[in-house]
Amino acid sequence: MLPHRAPEELRCWALAALGAADSGKSPRLSPVAGDASARRYFRLHLDGASYVAVEAPPATEKNAAFIQVAALLSARGVKVPAVYHADLEHGYLLLEDLGDRLLLPVLRPASVDHYYRRAMELLVTMAGPPCVTSGLENYDRTLLSEELGRFPRWFVRGLLGYEPDGAEQRLLDAVSSRLIDSALEQPRVLVHRDFHSRNLMLTADDELAVIDFQDAVAGPITYDLVSLLRDCYIQWPAAQVDQWARDYHGLLVSRDLLAATDEATFMRWFDLMGLQRHVKVLGTFARLYLRDGKSSYLDDLPLVIHYVSEIVEKYAGEEAVFADFGSWFSGALSPLIAQQDWSRKQ
């Protein structure tokens, strides 16, 4: 990863972009909480207005995609931070300041239904007309395979130190193939890929806004729903999650976005999409720790493992590949997981 540019360069660029470079004013940049990427965020106050200046290294960050998807979502009526100025060569962005109210801290058992139903309405708006994905990258077999490949590389081998033998690798390949087939069966819509409580914000007027959308693709209709309902950072009762998912199916049908798909098929898609996502996340969170030194994600692994086990157990009696995967996971990996510090913290 390329070294970060000094924030002073970002500050000077932002002031120039706002026409204040020669005004004699020298407002400071104050850090804003970041995310899992190499992007850094800073708040800039000028003449009574507040902006967010972003340093996003062009070698690693999808800045052009961020601008493209921001325009696409805004055109569909989704609240996203406005892009005021951009310097793609240096990786600088100047954005609307939406505040600091992430959805995650305000979620409570008494409030979550209200917010999740608003978020599901937002998902329908994001999905837009069927098959309209405006040139986005396809969430195809290659990309799905790459994501699932993070699990054996980073979680199994890298974090747990376990080397699968030939038969075990064939089992992992069979599970991946089954999950990818399920994903590719689904109608394709705009998929955020991380539509969860840390990427949803409440604005000053309580509008629900979406951030961190530069990885959006054209992909399976259940993906963002499972990101929301089986959030890697907060857990809700399984029966409640199931009912939300069924209600979302009904919402899609009522908006003519899923008229030909029955509820049982949709729920299987939803469950197996969640399994794909959470197997991927095990690898991704392990990679964030091992490669990028971001240890905080280790604390979220137990909940992700719970989601994996929940769905594998649910379908073990229906498909042998899931029964075999569950047996292998509990026999080979669970004892190693139990030895990890992040597992014992729970």
Side-chain angles (χ1 to χ4, degrees):
M1 184 180 297
L2 296 177
H4 287 299
R5 293 179 180 272
E8 178 62 18
E9 295 185 25
L10 176 64
R11 189 184 74 88
C12 291
W13 171 83
L15 289 175
L18 292 169
D22 300 319
S23 65
K25 299 174 181 176
S26 55
R28 294 179 176 272
L29 297 179
S30 55
V32 179
D35 53 32
S37 73
R39 294 183 296 274
R40 294 200 296 173
Y41 301 84
F42 302 88
R43 184 163 280 119
L44 173 68
H45 295 284
L46 182 68
D47 294 335
S50 181
Y51 307 88
V52 171
V54 186
E55 180 187 61
T60 59
E61 304 308 303
K62 299 178 179 178
N63 298 322
F66 181 91
I67 296 169
Q68 175 199 6
V69 179
L72 178 60
L73 292 176
S74 182
R76 294 185 179 187
V78 177
K79 179 62 179 175
V80 296
V83 181
Y84 296 133
H85 298 280
D87 180 338
L88 295 180
E89 180 182 357
H90 294 97
Y92 295 158
L93 300 170
L94 192 64
L95 309 179
E96 177 184 7
D97 187 355
L98 298 180
D100 294 306
R101 295 179 65 208
L102 292 179
L103 182 59
L104 178 59
V106 305
L107 292 176
R108 300 288 186 274
S111 67
V112 64
D113 187 71
H114 166 75
Y115 286 117
Y116 273 21
R117 291 190 185 280
R118 287 177 59 186
M120 289 190 287
E121 285 282 355
L122 193 58
L123 276 181
V124 172
T125 301
M126 286 173 55
C131 303
V132 177
T133 49
S134 300
L136 294 171
E137 179 184 0
N138 282 322
Y139 211 168
D140 58 13
R141 187 173 295 274
T142 299
L143 181 53
L144 289 160
S145 296
E146 183 278 320
E147 290 183 340
L148 287 164
R150 300 173 195 175
F151 171 70
R153 178 182 178 184
W154 293 100
F155 183 76
V156 178
R157 295 186 180 92
L159 191 61
L160 300 183
Y162 184 88
E163 184 64 41
D165 62 23
E168 291 168 323
Q169 186 57 56
R170 287 190 292 275
L171 171 62
L172 293 176
D173 291 343
V175 171
S176 294
S177 180
R178 177 67 184 92
L179 296 178
I180 292 170
D181 287 346
S182 177
L184 296 179
E185 287 175 7
Q186 302 180 36
R188 305 180 75 74
V189 297
L190 186 152
V191 174
H192 180 292
R193 288 177 76 193
D194 273 314
F195 191 88
H196 55 64
S197 60
R198 287 185 178 177
N199 285 331
L200 294 171
M201 296 187 68
L202 291 166
T203 65
D205 58 0
D206 211 40
E207 184 177 7
L208 203 58
V210 182
I211 60 173
D212 201 24
F213 41 73
Q214 63 282 336
D215 291 322
V217 292
I221 200 167
T222 64
Y223 191 95
D224 282 343
L225 181 69
V226 83
S227 300
L228 175 72
L229 301 184
R230 294 196 180 117
D231 191 326
C232 296
Y233 308 109
I234 191 167
Q235 181 183 7
W236 304 105
Q240 190 172 23
V241 169
D242 186 81
Q243 187 58 58
W244 279 326
R246 294 179 189 278
D247 290 347
Y248 188 70
H249 171 263
L251 187 60
L252 290 171
V253 170
S254 72
R255 305 291 173 83
D256 295 324
L257 291 172
L258 202 63
T261 303
D262 61 73
E263 186 180 88
T265 298
F266 181 83
M267 292 303 296
R268 179 178 288 269
W269 283 346
F270 172 77
D271 285 337
L272 297 188
M273 195 76 259
L275 184 56
Q276 185 276 340
R277 174 171 170 78
H278 292 119
V279 168
K280 173 196 79 169
V281 167
L282 290 179
T284 302
F285 283 4
R287 183 175 69 180
L288 283 167
Y289 168 61
L290 295 169
R291 187 190 69 183
D292 303 332
K294 298 185 176 183
S295 60
S296 64
Y297 290 91
L298 296 179
D299 294 336
D300 300 306
L301 286 174
L303 177 55
V304 182
I305 291 169
H306 165 78
Y307 288 140
V308 169
S309 300
E310 178 184 36
I311 300 306
V312 167
E313 182 178 350
K314 181 175 180 178
Y315 288 93
E318 299 183 24
E319 299 188 43
V321 68
F322 296 127
D324 293 343
F325 179 73
S327 296
W328 172 76
F329 195 104
S330 61
L333 301 190
S334 292
L336 299 175
I337 291 169
Q339 298 172 21
Q340 304 296 313
D341 289 341
W342 48 263
S343 178
R344 292 196 290 266
K345 289 179 182 179
Q346 302 303 307

